[in-house]
Amino acid sequence: NVLASLWGASGVAYILIKAIVRVLPIALEPFSKADGVVALTNFQLSSYILTCLFFAYAEGYKGFQLKFSPLVVARSFTLQPKSSPIHHLLLAPLYSMGLFHATKKRMIVSWCVTIGVATIVAAVKRMPYPWRNIVDAGVVVGLSWGTISILGGYIISLLTGIAPIGVDPAMPEKKE
């Protein structure tokens, strides 16, 4: 069970880390000494800081820590190497995210969030300097918080032997 759940939770963390690694250089660009980089004005710097704080709260704390991360951990612990279908094990990160083999509501929410994030990413990529960098800085903060909350929640559950308390893993109804 540990390997399957580890693959589920750490696979989601890996997806988030890949996004952080891609976006971090853009977020830090305003502070680089590279040629052609214009320093942020006081207003832009204030916007940068406020955006990071907003994303920490809205995406990191409210979105990840309170909702998504416990779901990922809870669902990852439902994977059983001997009884789970092979595609659940192979696609454990996507399974843990609730993208398949979940309640109808959970799948709708998971897919809508995934598609919504992809749409927002496409829009943010079209923003001019430094506003894209400012938004990307907030994204890095939120995704970092999310990654830490998934890994931290997984480690706590692994050490205590208790899945996140009060978290519905949103499993589909068993057909009889």
Side-chain angles (χ1 to χ4, degrees):
N1 187 18
V2 172
L3 285 179
S5 64
L6 178 64
W7 167 226
S10 67
V12 176
Y14 174 74
I15 291 167
L16 298 177
I17 290 167
K18 276 185 60 174
I20 293 165
V21 168
R22 266 195 321 272
V23 175
L24 184 60
I26 298 164
L28 295 177
E29 181 184 17
F31 305 104
S32 74
K33 303 291 184 206
D35 288 341
V37 174
V38 179
L40 297 177
T41 64
N42 286 337
F43 176 73
Q44 291 167 337
L45 183 58
S46 297
S47 298
Y48 192 101
I49 293 166
L50 290 173
T51 299
C52 288
L53 292 172
F54 172 77
F55 273 78
Y57 178 74
E59 184 183 3
Y61 178 68
K62 296 284 280 184
F64 277 106
Q65 186 174 332
L66 295 183
K67 294 180 184 170
F68 186 69
S69 299
L71 173 81
V72 167
V73 173
R75 285 183 60 84
S76 75
F77 277 104
T78 66
L79 291 165
Q80 302 294 325
K82 292 179 181 164
S83 60
S84 294
I86 189 70
H87 67 284
H88 292 189
L89 298 171
L90 292 174
L91 302 173
L94 303 179
Y95 170 91
S96 297
M97 292 169 66
L99 293 172
F100 70 95
H101 193 71
T103 60
K104 183 177 181 180
K105 179 182 177 183
R106 175 75 263 162
M107 286 194 295
I108 289 170
V109 169
S110 291
W111 279 105
C112 286
V113 168
T114 300
I115 292 166
V117 167
T119 303
I120 292 168
V121 166
V124 169
K125 282 184 174 184
R126 290 169 173 58
M127 294 174 78
Y129 177 88
W131 303 108
R132 175 186 178 183
N133 310 73
I134 290 168
V135 172
D136 282 347
V139 169
V140 167
V141 170
L143 293 178
S144 297
W145 192 309
T147 302
I148 292 165
S149 68
I150 289 170
L151 295 175
Y154 180 80
I155 291 167
I156 289 168
S157 290
L158 188 63
L159 293 176
T160 63
I162 303 168
I165 296 170
V167 177
D168 176 11
M171 302 305 291
E173 295 282 326
K174 291 192 188 266
K175 296 178 184 173
E176 294 185 30

